[in-house]
């Protein structure tokens, strides 16, 4: 898999059905900033290290969240960050998180999902770890 920034943004842009890469870049920023606030430790930095130029810092620079977000609250947080409606936030999430799931190996993805409340696996396009 090509791990360049252009390839990453192209994949997100196409997955979301956007017309312009800037829309994909905005989705990546919104989703990674919210996700980064809810991941901690080595798992967060391991995922950040796999991301192309500039994307990893969106995860690691996020201030830790005060409480865990349910999947529905995660969508709401992305909507708040992007000043968009819930449908557009879900579109961003559905483009970004499955792309992250393809980049992370299964062990890392499992560790990430265990940090999040149940139900987040569906946002990543996979099943909850057992």
């Amino acid at each position: 898999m090509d791990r360049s920034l252009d390839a990453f943004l192209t994949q997100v842009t196409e997955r979301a059905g956007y017309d312009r890469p800037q829309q994909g870049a905005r989705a990546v920023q919104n989703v990674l900033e919210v996700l980064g606030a809810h991941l901690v430790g080595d798992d967060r930095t391991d995922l950040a290290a796999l991301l192309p130029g500039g994307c990893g810092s969106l995860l690691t620079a996020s201030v830790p969240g005060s409480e865990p977000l349910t999947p529905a609250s995660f969508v709401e947080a992305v909507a708040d960050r992007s000043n968009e409606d819930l449908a557009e936030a879900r579109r961003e999430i559905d483009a970004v998180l499955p792309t992250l799931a393809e980049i992370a190996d299964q062990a890392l993805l499992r560790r990430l999902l265990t940090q999040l409340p149940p139900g987040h696996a569906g946002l990543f396009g996979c099943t909850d770890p057992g």
Side-chain angles (χ1 to χ4, degrees):
M1 171 184 235
D2 183 352
R3 294 201 183 180
S4 70
L5 181 58
D6 285 342
F8 183 70
L9 293 178
T10 296
Q11 189 168 5
V12 168
T13 300
E14 289 174 358
R15 213 174 224 147
Y18 292 136
D19 297 326
R20 295 173 291 136
Q22 295 85 351
Q23 293 168 292
R26 184 194 73 231
V28 167
Q29 180 174 357
N30 294 334
V31 174
L32 290 183
E33 287 177 349
V34 172
L35 181 62
H38 297 282
L39 298 175
V40 296
D42 291 342
D43 298 333
R44 179 167 90 159
T45 54
D46 289 350
L47 179 59
L50 295 174
L51 297 175
C55 293
S57 64
L58 295 171
L59 275 175
T60 58
S62 297
V63 175
S66 58
E67 60 185 58
L69 294 178
T70 65
S73 297
F74 186 87
V75 174
E76 290 171 7
V78 172
D80 288 345
R81 176 158 317 270
S82 63
N83 293 317
E84 297 286 349
D85 62 21
L86 292 176
E88 181 57 29
R90 186 60 197 243
R91 183 180 182 186
E92 292 180 349
I93 292 164
D94 288 346
V96 176
L97 293 185
T99 303
L100 291 182
E102 290 176 5
I103 291 172
D105 63 41
Q106 288 300 310
L108 176 57
L109 184 58
R110 190 174 315 107
R111 291 192 319 267
L112 295 171
L113 290 172
T114 59
Q115 287 192 39
L116 301 168
H120 278 78
L123 297 178
F124 283 85
C126 57
T127 58
D128 278 313

